[in-house]
Amino acid sequence: MPHKKEGIKDELYGDEVREKLLEFAERGWDSIPEDEREEWFTRFKFWGIFHQRSGQESYFMLRLTNCGGVLEPGQLRAIGEVARDYARGPVDNPEFGNGWIDLTTRQSIQLHWIKLEDVPEIWEQLESVGVSSRSSGGDTMRNISGCPVAGKAEEYVESRDLLDEIEADIRGDDALANMPRKFNISVTGCRQGCAQDSINDVGLEPAHKLIDGAEVEGFNVRVGGGLGGREPRAARPLDLFVRPEQAKETVRAFVELYFEEGNRVNRQKNRARFFVDEWGCEEIRAALDERLDFALERAGTDFRGEYTYNAGKPAERGAHDHVGVYDQRDGNNYVGLSVPVGRLPAEEAIELADLADEYGSGEIRLTRRQNPLIMDVPDEDLDALLSEDLLEIHTPEPSPFAQGGMACTGTEFCSIALTETKTRMARMLRWLQANVELPADVDRIKIHYSGCTADCGQAMTADIGLQGMRARKDGEMVEAMDVGVGGGVGEEPSFVDWVRQRVPADEVPGLIRNLVEAFAALRGEGQTFREWVDATGQENLITLAEPEETSYEDPWMHDAKQSWYPFDDGESPAPTAPDGTPLSADD
């Protein structure tokens, strides 16, 4: 029997949800029948509208989409203005204040504290500059990942037009809106591997093949990658090479296969990675052969040996991310800024848009590591841009810990998270920078923090991965973390090995310090953290990763999941009217 959510989606899903959502917005939060709210919240997600969590009734998160991370001139400014005017909650965050945007690990943006009644006007403002929230959540194809500098920097095979075609013709097809579960697509034509094909449901990676005596550029195809639930999978090769003109239909064929044959009964086992487990790559390849109207070629030679993006290789081998100043192929530059944990106040987002207009083309691009890039900066304007005050805050030359830090939403807004993440991580990164000395040749330590095992913060792919848990300390329930080491994507993707479980949150910075200091003292010459982890072995790592109380004080040790908001001791003001005043619970 199909899962109950399939019945909900069968009744109404996809593009048709928009009209009903607008009707509810016009009538207000309390027009949604209480006994039907979960069904409507399931449908709203297709349009990027996520109810936040218990205690925050009438408040929503809005997730946007921008294929491959591209924000065209004017788009970031519009998003920043919406955040300034509408993404404001009843209390301040102690680290970030009120009114900000969150940059995501799929190269897009989320806004919080959105009132349902404001959605029509927000959509009008965003869509007037070409920004959409369609298909950004729920059981559908999510924002498509690509090399954030596709079309601007060197690529072995051009990918920007292909990304846009997949966006318009496949992800834009409402007939494919109702997938068995969320589905991630990535395409990259560069040699760095920055679209992270290893952790996507279907990924195209650049490759070449000798066909009829001529070298042909194209893509190899991988399927079934993903994180979450402590059951990660690296995407597996289909032994399939496609030319650029064949790539879009190949992606469509796999999307349609999963759409038709994917498990719609068990939501714990119906992501595409489990579908690939069940079918196997040979059977999937045979099914694609039946669906495609061209003869399939065996895989070509890929460039995985050259992958450097979050690959655990020495910095001199190539960029680990896009933070810094880099050449574009047209002679201009792009400047990648560091936004630790991906949270950017609305005023700074607007200022960033102004700087992009003043010094570049106005275009901003986003990376999978929650950072923005200012594009198309001429050489003669580079020094002036680098001297701007905003680049002191979000510098292209951050500290090693800030450059490697990422975090998901956490209990601040997420209903399934077990711990607070972003605010804690921001403070932890500062403490580590002030208290841990790294070797001069180590320019980043990647620490990723996920509030639960769903792993939206990609802890499984980090040098040091943190996942939220709870534990008892001194007789009280406190926020805690499991700590793993040795993750990374690249030529040989690996996921962290867990070395400590349920470490109280105030002892985690000490654990990290002990581990990193051991790395600094014991590493071989030029050895990266991941290389050292591989050489050291788990048993020794467990000994070295000793939890410890330190000068770091964690102000949010209490079990924040039980409160309406981690940073407020009072009662929840929700639900509230459009003007923010509480709504009466009386009939």
Side-chain angles (χ1 to χ4, degrees), residues 359-418:
Y359 295 106
S361 64
E363 187 176 280
I364 295 286
R365 298 201 180 183
L366 307 178
T367 78
R368 294 203 64 167
R369 295 194 59 80
Q370 301 178 312
N371 293 312
L373 316 179
I374 299 175
M375 307 303 298
D376 307 310
V377 181
D379 288 344
E380 59 269 24
D381 293 330
L382 193 55
D383 287 343
L385 170 61
L386 295 175
S387 68
E388 290 283 352
D389 290 344
L390 185 66
L391 274 72
E392 291 292 319
I393 302 170
H394 302 296
T395 173
E397 297 181 345
S399 74
F401 290 109
Q403 182 155 348
M406 288 172 36
C408 75
T409 299
T411 51
E412 187 174 12
F413 303 112
C414 178
S415 62
I416 64 173
L418 296 175

Side-chain angles (χ1 to χ4, degrees), residues 341 407-412 419-426 449-451:
V341 308
C408 75
T409 299
T411 51
E412 187 174 12
T419 65
E420 198 283 323
T421 53
K422 283 189 181 290
T423 303
R424 172 180 284 126
M425 184 67 160
Y449 186 7
S450 292

Side-chain angles (χ1 to χ4, degrees), residues 37 40 70 106 111 128 150 162 187 207 230 279 318 464 488 543:
R37 282 178 183 165
W40 286 112
V70 176
R106 290 206 67 80
L111 307 175
S128 70
L162 176 58
V187 179
R230 295 287 173 90
W279 276 53
I464 301 173
T543 301

Side-chain angles (χ1 to χ4, degrees), residues 517-535:
E517 287 182 345
F519 158 66
L522 302 173
R523 68 194 282 251
E525 184 176 354
Q527 208 170 33
T528 68
F529 187 85
R530 181 177 167 188
E531 290 169 341
W532 176 75
V533 166
D534 290 342

Side-chain angles (χ1 to χ4, degrees), residues 213-424:
E215 181 177 319
V216 178
E217 299 172 356
F219 301 94
N220 284 345
V221 184
R222 291 180 180 262
V223 295
L227 309 174
R230 295 287 173 90
E231 295 188 81
R233 303 285 190 281
R236 282 143 281 183
L238 284 183
D239 191 16
L240 175 59
F241 174 85
V242 295
R243 301 168 189 258
E245 63 270 19
Q246 300 166 335
K248 181 181 72 172
E249 290 311 310
T250 303
V251 171
R252 172 177 278 275
F254 184 69
V255 168
E256 290 178 342
L257 179 65
Y258 175 64
F259 177 87
E260 296 165 12
E261 302 291 344
N263 184 335
R264 293 182 182 266
V265 176
N266 182 357
R267 290 184 66 82
Q268 301 302 313
K269 291 288 184 181
N270 69 349
R271 290 293 304 272
R273 64 184 185 271
F274 301 119
F275 175 71
V276 175
D277 287 350
E278 180 182 351
W279 276 53
C281 288
E282 287 190 13
E283 188 172 347
I284 290 172
R285 192 181 194 282
L288 298 187
D289 195 11
E290 293 180 0
R291 292 167 178 261
L292 294 168
D293 61 3
F294 54 85
L296 301 192
E297 294 278 356
R298 294 293 174 181
T301 302
D302 61 42
F303 297 96
R304 299 184 78 78
E306 300 179 34
Y307 280 10
T308 57
Y309 192 87
N310 192 24
K313 295 181 179 179
E316 59 266 21
R317 293 281 298 275
H320 289 215
D321 50 40
H322 294 86
V323 174
V325 179
Y326 297 90
D327 295 332
Q328 293 180 189
R329 64 188 185 193
D330 62 2
N332 290 321
N333 307 274
Y334 70 89
V335 180
L337 310 185
S338 175
V339 179
V341 308
R343 182 160 287 179
L344 192 65
E347 292 78 7
E348 292 179 1
I350 295 169
E351 185 178 354
L352 177 58
D354 290 340
L355 294 180
D357 280 341
E358 182 176 355
Y359 295 106
S361 64
E363 187 176 280
I364 295 286
R365 298 201 180 183
L366 307 178
T367 78
R368 294 203 64 167
R369 295 194 59 80
Q370 301 178 312
N371 293 312
L373 316 179
I374 299 175
M375 307 303 298
D376 307 310
V377 181
D379 288 344
E380 59 269 24
D381 293 330
L382 193 55
D383 287 343
L385 170 61
L386 295 175
S387 68
E388 290 283 352
D389 290 344
L390 185 66
L391 274 72
E392 291 292 319
I393 302 170
H394 302 296
T395 173
E397 297 181 345
S399 74
F401 290 109
Q403 182 155 348
M406 288 172 36
C408 75
T409 299
T411 51
E412 187 174 12
F413 303 112
C414 178
S415 62
I416 64 173
L418 296 175
T419 65
E420 198 283 323
T421 53
K422 283 189 181 290
T423 303
R424 172 180 284 126

Side-chain angles (χ1 to χ4, degrees), residues 433-466:
Q433 181 60 27
N435 291 277
V436 182
E437 186 173 348
L438 287 168
D441 65 329
V442 176
D443 58 358
R444 73 211 75 187
I445 295 287
K446 298 183 184 67
I447 305 175
H448 301 177
Y449 186 7
S450 292
C452 71
T453 60
D455 206 26
C456 297
Q458 299 182 1
M460 297 290 291
T461 69
D463 289 330
I464 301 173
L466 311 174

